Amino acid sequence: MTKTTKTKMRTRTIGQWMIGGLSLIMWGGFGSPASGVLKVVTTTEDLAAITRAVGGEAVEVVSLSRGYQDPHFIEAKPSHLVKLNKADLFIQIGLELEVAWAPPLLSNARNGRIVPGREGFLETCEGCEIVDRLTGRVDRSQGDVHPQGNPHYWMDPENGRMMARAIAAKLKALRPGDSAGIEERLKSFERELSERLVRWQEWLRPYHGSKIVTYHRSWSNWAKRFGLEVVDFIEPKPGIPPSAAHIEQLIRTLSQRGVKAMVMEPYFDRKLPEKISRETGVPLVVVSPSVGGFPEVKTYFDVFEVGLKKLVEAMEKGGRP
Amino acid sequence: MFDVSVPGVARFGGHDGFPGTDHASEDFPGQHIEKDSSKTQATRSTAPRPSSTPPHLSSAQASAWDGLTILLKRGVFMCYLILVFFFVFCGIVDSVKGQDRPLSRPGPVPSLLNPDMSFDGLFTVGGFSSPNHLQLGGHDPKVNGITAQNFETTYKSVIDPFWEGIAHMILLIEDGETKIELEEAYMTSLDFPWGLQLMGGQFFTRFGRLNPSHPHSWNFADQPVINGRLFGGDGLRQTGLQLSWLAPTPFFLEWRASVQNANGETAPSFINPAAKEPAPDNVYLMRPLVARPAVTFRDLLYMGGVKSSWDLSDSLTAVAGSSLLYGPNNTGLETITRIYGVDLYLKWKPEVTDQGWPFVTWQTEAMWRVYDAAEYTDLGASTFVPATIIQDSGWYSQVVYGFTRGWTAGIRLDWVDGGNSASVELDQRTRITPSLTYYPSEFFKIRFQYNYDKAQHRADPIHAVFVQFEFLMGAHGAHQF
């Protein structure tokens, strides 16, 4: 075979590869049309649960994290990019909850629809009551702080209502054909929320003003809605594990201030809090802050249904010596 | 040094399968051309007639036919290029259409106008058992004392609705002198269609796993030996463009291709600036270097690679990749360097962790360089040294175990071999590196490391002990998985 023939064959082969490659790229790239099921990717299971409740059959939802994981520290994997590449809508909590792992996923998903600022990007903090906004000097000497406010705002059912409205509005904008169904499901969600909230607040009425200690400063919205007062944290500063000195001070606080319960998420290490609970007699209540944190927490309402029941039972028992 | 006469014309052909064009000898049938590579010994007085030329044509008509065929082939190749760029352009236009909302980033209002800034300081206190240590990295601990490895300022921001930008500038201190380097500064597209992404600017070539990463993110205080040998002290980084494609597969599959400049300190395997130094510094791999200007697209550095990832379980993820580099080197005017690499990464991290602990990662990379070295005449010894192909290879493998919150223990094994036991650059060398790192927070670390380095050209091994410090101020995004 002469050199010319070899080069010609090589040229043809390369040409064929390029045409083939181009076709493959174009075929793969044609995303979902403007009608049909809306593909939604959320950062947490709570957002996924609310989206399913409001969107029904019009949406196909997947969450990047599980309810039993700490949403600050999710491992961003290449497989997440594959899911995000196909998404029509991306929903996150915001307020820097996902700042450690979500932004590079959005930059590299090759999906212009879900880039921050675009139609397919939603942060549900708008319209919600945000607490613990930091004023004055803010820096990392205070630990891993969230200067814009406490991102665990979904732990207040009234905020859940605002989140559902924001998600419903976005779904209607992206799928106007399904507006009627979405509006109906939103109304039904809000009705059930209002009914249940009344009941939950009834449960907590006898314990109004009770003092609690939590592991991380993640229960501010929840405590405010249900009339509880968070007086201290098992973590001395956000993100810093408890030291011996801090534990001693905590034990004093628990007895001196008549703390009724210690509340913590299932993903923190329980050894130290259990030890403190045994020493002081203050019950430790492990509450799932998210859907899927425990197998029985299946919907957004279950988060409060299961968690508040657990708290009330523990405080009842603790109240009797 | 060179006595090759190269016709002073732009050569678009290649003896090595460059797309679309014929060998240079056929451009000018009848010309006497001396090849400077031992691979093509042909010294022809007439070009061979391509077999598709109709036999009934006369010689003159045949040359015309040859010329036409060549033009046609070039034309077809140009059409391919235009087609590719047309679709890319359409993609850009498509994404621009209908986007009239200003881009807003989630975050406090001031960040809308200012980029995210951060500053990372990295320095090491340490020492070696021998002053002639073999550290190849420009940012590795290098002195008995304190090495100011890397002081990096980073700016990261969205540029407009379609582009994101990042810039890293580093300062280091060498021999009491402060040096500044532009490590990376590039823009990335956010909105190309069809799974494409374009990156442009100055960047580390995305070859393998370690080369694209920054020293402060390494799991050891210094870079692997094979990376130092093939890519030099600063890693392979150049100005250029990279296009990557996320395939529509259920698992992660990404194809990358880049074109960059091939010259400079940061591309020693390619057009190495030592050619500007007076002899005897004017050598690389013991071959003399010449000035080789970048004239055609053959004088650029090309990279092709693929990366794939699978979640083997909820807690175990694997990433595998393969990369190829093709570029000119300046031992001659037509010599080529090829570097091949494969990489494998496994990460185990349970679904529920204590702020990211525990975890285990295992990373292995193997690389192989095929370096065409041109012939030369050693004027001092009056000998003619024929052209040769220098092949060297190496690998490293490292395991890092984050055993409890804030602590990681690592071990790395380096192995390289260039087949020349007398040379510093090409001998067989093995290095073992255990390390222990403490992270009181995400923004600070202290690392203890010991190196045992045995090179064939030396009788004794080199021992080294380092204590490395890193501090990070400001916003710094997460690193690539």
Side-chain angles (χ1 to χ4, degrees):
Chain A
M1 201 179 276
T2 67
K3 197 164 224 86
T4 334
T5 321
K6 254 171 81 175
T7 319
K8 279 209 295 212
M9 281 181 65
R10 208 177 269 136
T11 312
R12 190 166 54 227
T13 318
I14 289 167
Q16 285 166 347
W17 275 106
M18 284 176 76
I19 289 286
L22 214 54
S23 321
L24 202 65
I25 289 173
M26 289 174 61
W27 162 70
F30 285 122
S32 61
S35 59
V37 170
L38 195 75
K39 294 200 178 73
V40 184
V41 175
T42 67
T43 51
T44 67
E45 290 281 11
D46 307 292
L47 292 169
I50 296 174
T51 308
R52 282 186 200 111
V54 165
E57 277 167 18
V59 297
E60 206 178 272
V61 191
V62 65
S63 163
L64 295 178
S65 73
R66 304 274 82 78
Y68 46 81
Q69 295 179 299
D70 186 340
H72 299 92
F73 298 103
I74 302 298
E75 187 75 8
K77 300 178 193 174
S79 55
H80 294 154
L81 291 174
V82 177
K83 295 192 182 103
L84 286 166
N85 179 252
K86 305 253 176 326
D88 299 308
L89 173 61
F90 173 77
I91 311 179
Q92 71 177 24
I93 294 285
L95 301 185
E96 297 190 347
L97 183 75
E98 302 100 339
V99 71
W101 55 277
L105 288 175
L106 294 175
S107 300
N108 290 303
R110 279 103 160 163
N111 185 349
R113 295 189 293 262
I114 60 171
V115 164
R118 293 296 178 79
E119 217 184 21
F121 177 87
L122 177 65
E123 235 178 27
T124 50
C125 44
E126 303 252 341
C128 294
E129 185 189 1
I130 307 299
V131 300
D132 298 338
R133 273 187 229 263
L134 294 173
T135 52
R137 187 190 175 83
V138 177
D139 61 48
R140 290 210 181 106
S141 67
Q142 299 153 348
D144 221 343
V145 291
H146 293 283
Q148 299 158 62
N150 197 319
H152 301 260
Y153 59 82
W154 75 88
M155 295 291 291
D156 178 350
E158 284 296 337
N159 280 343
R161 186 196 304 278
M162 303 311 294
M163 288 159 72
R165 285 187 190 167
I167 293 172
K170 179 59 78 174
L171 292 180
K172 278 193 266 187
L174 291 174
R175 288 285 186 275
D178 292 315
S179 290
I182 294 167
E183 188 61 38
E184 202 188 299
R185 281 185 287 265
L186 175 67
K187 284 205 168 44
S188 152
F189 180 88
E190 288 202 49
R191 230 182 354 252
E192 193 177 349
L193 188 86
S194 306
E195 281 167 17
R196 290 195 186 221
L197 184 56
V198 167
R199 227 171 0 112
W200 295 330
Q201 285 175 319
E202 270 303 312
W203 291 352
L204 269 297
R205 202 179 299 286
Y207 302 97
H208 190 91
S210 294
K211 299 185 174 58
I212 60 170
V213 161
T214 68
Y215 192 97
H216 182 61
R217 190 192 285 269
S218 37
W219 303 89
S220 309
N221 294 83
W222 187 79
K224 190 170 176 199
R225 178 60 55 193
F226 297 112
L228 302 162
E229 189 190 333
V230 181
V231 297
D232 208 344
F233 307 98
I234 298 177
E235 275 182 339
K237 279 182 183 168
I240 311 291
S243 62
H246 180 75
I247 293 167
E248 261 181 68
Q249 177 243 303
L250 200 61
I251 291 174
R252 267 181 275 125
T253 308
L254 287 169
S255 47
Q256 282 169 7
R257 299 198 63 184
V259 172
K260 286 275 173 52
M262 288 189 292
V263 179
M264 68 181 280
E265 291 95 326
Y267 44 76
F268 289 122
D269 188 20
R270 278 170 226 191
K271 279 200 297 290
L272 268 174
E274 276 172 352
K275 181 161 169 279
I276 298 170
S277 174
R278 275 194 302 272
E279 274 186 39
T280 58
V282 176
L284 176 69
V285 192
V286 181
V287 177
S288 168
S290 284
V291 173
F294 292 120
E296 61 268 23
V297 182
K298 295 195 181 73
T299 68
Y300 179 67
F301 301 133
D302 285 340
V303 173
F304 305 98
E305 196 79 32
V306 172
L308 291 169
K309 200 170 277 178
K310 246 185 174 175
L311 176 73
V312 166
E313 276 169 11
M315 289 200 296
E316 251 183 56
K317 256 190 281 180
R320 297 182 194 121
Chain B
M1 287 258 181
F2 273 78
D3 51 348
V4 159
S5 59
V6 174
V9 289
R11 296 157 138 253
F12 291 96
H15 56 265
D16 224 60
F18 233 79
T21 54
D22 291 349
H23 197 275
S25 63
E26 281 141 26
D27 295 357
F28 308 95
Q31 185 158 8
H32 179 95
I33 291 171
E34 194 129 21
K35 295 290 162 280
D36 63 344
S37 162
S38 57
K39 281 208 276 204
T40 52
Q41 290 300 318
T43 304
R44 304 191 194 94
S45 48
T46 43
R49 186 171 295 193
S51 52
S52 63
T53 320
H56 60 275
L57 296 177
S58 73
S59 180
Q61 286 173 316
S63 316
W65 178 266
D66 293 346
L68 191 70
T69 327
I70 289 155
L71 214 63
L72 208 64
K73 274 183 212 153
R74 289 231 179 98
V76 171
F77 175 62
M78 288 313 298
C79 282
Y80 287 156
L81 275 184
I82 290 168
L83 211 66
V84 170
F85 283 114
F86 173 72
F87 281 115
V88 171
F89 176 72
C90 280
I92 299 174
V93 169
D94 223 313
S95 62
V96 171
K97 259 193 316 197
Q99 299 300 342
D100 50 4
R101 280 180 59 186
L103 187 69
S104 63
R105 273 177 64 77
V109 172
S111 78
L112 223 94
L113 306 171
N114 291 332
D116 291 335
M117 291 194 302
S118 70
F119 185 87
D120 190 285
L122 189 70
F123 61 97
T124 297
V125 181
F128 301 86
S129 62
S130 155
N132 281 341
H133 61 76
L134 300 169
Q135 296 290 76
L136 290 164
H139 298 274
D140 289 348
K142 295 187 283 224
V143 299
N144 281 359
I146 306 167
T147 311
Q149 290 181 268
N150 205 14
F151 289 85
E152 180 179 311
T153 307
T154 302
Y155 298 97
K156 183 170 160 49
S157 181
V158 169
I159 293 168
D160 64 13
F162 318 106
W163 299 96
E164 195 180 69
I166 189 160
H168 302 275
M169 276 147 293
I170 39 184
L171 290 140
L172 64 152
I173 301 178
E174 236 168 43
D175 299 323
E177 220 183 86
T178 304
K179 302 209 170 120
I180 182 163
E181 296 174 6
L182 182 65
E183 194 181 36
E184 292 193 295
Y186 59 88
M187 58 192 191
T188 310
S189 71
L190 296 171
D191 195 14
F192 272 33
W194 311 323
L196 295 168
Q197 188 181 57
L198 185 69
M199 193 167 91
Q202 162 83 354
F203 53 91
F204 281 115
T205 313
R206 263 62 174 149
F207 180 100
R209 290 196 62 90
L210 194 103
N211 192 62
S213 68
H214 293 198
H216 62 84
S217 70
W218 295 343
N219 292 112
F220 298 87
D222 47 12
Q223 64 175 352
V225 181
I226 187 63
N227 286 71
R229 278 206 175 171
L230 300 191
F231 302 134
D234 289 312
L236 180 61
R237 59 172 197 248
Q238 292 287 354
T239 317
L241 292 166
Q242 176 186 281
L243 188 67
S244 64
W245 176 54
L246 183 65
T249 44
F251 57 94
F252 179 86
L253 180 62
E254 179 195 64
W255 297 85
R256 299 184 293 273
S258 71
V259 55
Q260 293 172 290
N261 285 343
N263 59 339
E265 274 179 353
T266 51
S269 288
F270 301 97
I271 298 183
N272 192 317
K276 298 198 183 115
E277 308 295 324
D281 286 336
N282 188 2
V283 289
Y284 183 64
L285 303 181
M286 301 182 304
R287 308 289 290 197
L289 299 169
V290 296
R292 178 173 173 171
V295 176
T296 73
F297 64 74
R298 285 200 56 216
D299 299 314
L300 295 172
L301 176 62
Y302 297 90
M303 191 277 300
V306 63
K307 176 172 161 181
S308 184
S309 175
W310 310 269
D311 287 339
L312 302 172
S313 77
D314 282 331
S315 46
L316 186 62
T317 303
V319 183
S322 174
S323 323
L324 157 69
L325 279 164
Y326 179 99
N329 73 56
N330 57 337
T331 54
L333 292 166
E334 278 196 359
T335 45
I336 298 289
T337 303
R338 281 179 226 76
I339 303 182
Y340 308 92
V342 289
D343 56 86
L344 179 64
Y345 178 69
L346 283 159
K347 182 164 193 175
W348 172 81
K349 192 185 226 184
E351 276 199 294
V352 182
T353 58
D354 185 7
Q355 302 230 330
W357 271 268
F359 66 88
V360 179
T361 64
W362 180 27
Q363 175 165 312
T364 306
E365 278 193 73
M367 297 179 221
W368 173 32
R369 172 172 59 184
V370 179
Y371 188 98
D372 292 348
E375 65 205 17
Y376 68 98
T377 305
D378 186 342
L379 297 169
S382 294
T383 50
F384 174 78
V385 184
T388 184
I389 299 176
I390 301 172
Q391 294 199 41
D392 62 338
S393 61
W395 53 265
Y396 75 87
S397 192
Q398 63 187 45
V399 175
V400 178
Y401 177 28
F403 50 94
T404 189
R405 179 165 163 181
W407 288 89
T408 67
I411 182 115
R412 178 181 64 190
L413 185 59
D414 284 281
W415 184 94
V416 294
D417 195 356
N420 188 333
S421 56
S423 152
V424 179
E425 294 165 299
L426 290 171
D427 68 343
Q428 195 277 312
R429 186 172 152 195
T430 309
R431 186 172 73 176
I432 293 183
T433 307
S435 78
L436 183 69
T437 312
Y438 175 45
Y439 299 86
S441 75
E442 295 162 60
F443 310 103
F444 187 83
K445 77 165 183 251
I446 306 178
R447 171 169 292 152
F448 305 92
Q449 178 173 314
Y450 164 70
N451 283 12
Y452 174 89
D453 198 339
K454 179 74 189 75
Q456 207 177 20
H457 75 273
R458 297 168 69 118
D460 300 322
I462 306 168
H463 306 269
V465 177
F466 307 128
V467 181
Q468 185 183 50
F469 299 87
E470 182 198 355
F471 61 88
L472 173 65
M473 302 188 277
H476 194 283
H479 291 119
Q480 275 271 319
F481 185 85

